[in-house]
């Protein structure tokens, strides 16, 4: 009963925190005022301060999690609206996405191997660029740590959403399709949400990148781990 009570507060509190975070971002639109970033920090602090177990929080949080599926499906509409442009540039888009997925896996594996991390950590970080359910499934199959994989996925998503404008400016990347490929391939759903705020075509390409990256990483990661680790 106590967990149910905490769970009810969790779902209401999470929604309120997100709404307030969105208002802060509307008022001070900066990379580090992203609603997902502020909300995550606030919720983590509250769990730590009030010593609330994660399982108790997820009694209510799981209901929010259930909406992720319909939210991703809703991305199909802007994708449909941009179908002609995407069809015309299909080969460059697919090439960019697959290259991004491969580099995402290799960079994580090679850097952790070079710095001396354990095989478990190397396997876990290899899936950081794809959505949480896909990442956790791959991580489990290759001997990684599922809870750590979820954290790394969040870090990849939030850092991509927060730093993308700075990186695009630094490397003089101006094309919306290139930006969409980069964010969808490296920062999955959170990056796609950030792309959708910029333009319809960028968000649509980012949606494709997120989906194809998940498939590509699922296929190549076990082989890369066996060959390199």
């Amino acid at each position: 009963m106590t967990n149910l009570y905490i769970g009810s507060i969790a779902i209401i509190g999470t929604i309120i925190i997100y709404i307030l975070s969105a208002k802060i971002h509307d008022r001070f639109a900066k990379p580090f005022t992203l609603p997902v970033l502020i909300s995550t920090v606030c919720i983590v602090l509250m769990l730590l301060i009030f010593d609330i177990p994660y399982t108790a929080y997820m009694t209510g949080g799981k209901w929010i999690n259930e909406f992720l599926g319909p939210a991703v499906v809703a991305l199909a509409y802007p994708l449909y609206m941009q179908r002609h442009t995407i069809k015309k540039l299909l080969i460059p888009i697919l090439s960019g996405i697959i290259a991004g997925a491969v580099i995402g896996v290799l960079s994580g594996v090679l850097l952790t191997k070079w710095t001396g991390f354990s095989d478990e950590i190397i396997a876990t970080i290899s899936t950081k660029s794809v959505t949480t359910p896909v990442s956790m499934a791959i991580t489990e199959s290759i001997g990684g740590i599922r809870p750590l994989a979820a954290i790394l996925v969040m870090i990849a998503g939030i850092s991509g959403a927060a730093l993308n404008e700075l990186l695009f400016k630094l490397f003089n990347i101006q094309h919306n399709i290139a930006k969409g490929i980069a964010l969808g391939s490296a920062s999955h759903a959170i990056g796609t949400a950030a792309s959708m705020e910029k333009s319809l075509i960028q968000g649509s390409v980012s949606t494709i990148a997120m989906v194809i990256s998940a498939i590509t990483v699922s296929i190549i990661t076990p082989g890369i781990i066996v060959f390199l680790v």
Side-chain angles (χ1 to χ4, degrees):
M1 191 65 182
T2 304
N3 279 359
L4 183 63
Y5 179 68
I6 294 174
S8 301
I9 294 175
I11 189 170
I12 296 170
T14 300
I15 292 171
I16 292 173
I17 288 172
Y18 187 84
I19 291 172
L20 293 176
S21 301
K23 288 184 180 300
I24 292 172
H25 184 62
D26 289 341
R27 181 73 175 82
F28 308 99
K30 300 291 181 185
F32 294 101
T33 61
L34 287 172
V36 67
L37 177 58
I38 296 176
S39 301
T40 301
V41 171
C42 289
I43 291 169
V44 168
L45 287 176
M46 286 180 67
L47 294 180
L48 290 173
I49 291 170
F50 295 106
D51 195 24
I52 299 171
Y54 178 71
T55 50
Y57 169 78
M58 281 307 290
T59 306
K62 69 181 181 184
W63 292 104
I64 298 174
N65 200 43
E66 292 294 326
F67 286 105
L68 285 176
V72 172
V73 173
L75 294 172
Y77 178 70
L79 200 61
Y80 173 77
M81 296 294 289
Q82 298 296 321
R83 65 190 183 285
H84 297 301
T85 304
I86 293 169
K87 187 177 178 182
K88 193 163 63 178
L89 297 170
L90 190 59
I91 299 302
I93 289 173
L94 287 177
S95 304
I97 294 170
I98 293 171
V102 173
I103 290 169
V105 176
L106 284 177
S107 61
V109 170
L110 293 176
L111 280 172
T112 46
K113 187 176 174 63
W114 178 56
T115 47
F117 281 94
S118 68
D119 292 353
E120 262 190 326
I121 299 294
I122 296 172
T124 305
I125 203 167
S126 65
T127 65
K128 67 186 185 317
S129 302
V130 295
T131 54
T132 306
V134 178
S135 170
M136 294 183 77
I138 303 171
T139 300
E140 188 173 29
S141 71
I142 58 179
I145 307 167
R146 280 166 52 94
L148 180 59
I151 294 171
L152 292 173
V153 168
M154 284 295 293
I155 291 173
I158 292 174
S159 60
L163 299 174
N164 70 86
E165 283 301 324
L166 177 65
L167 292 173
F168 291 149
K169 189 174 181 181
L170 185 65
F171 293 100
N172 194 28
I173 298 171
Q174 299 177 357
H175 203 290
N176 276 326
I177 291 179
K179 292 178 178 178
I181 291 172
L183 276 170
S185 301
S187 299
H188 49 84
I190 298 176
T192 299
S195 280
M196 205 60 80
E197 291 179 359
K198 306 291 171 51
S199 79
L200 201 57
I201 184 65
Q202 186 182 140
S204 301
V205 172
S206 185
T207 303
I208 297 175
M210 177 180 66
V211 174
I212 295 178
S213 285
I215 297 169
T216 306
V217 171
S218 302
I219 295 170
I220 66 171
T221 304
I224 289 176
I225 292 297
V226 169
F227 185 72
L228 292 179
V229 178

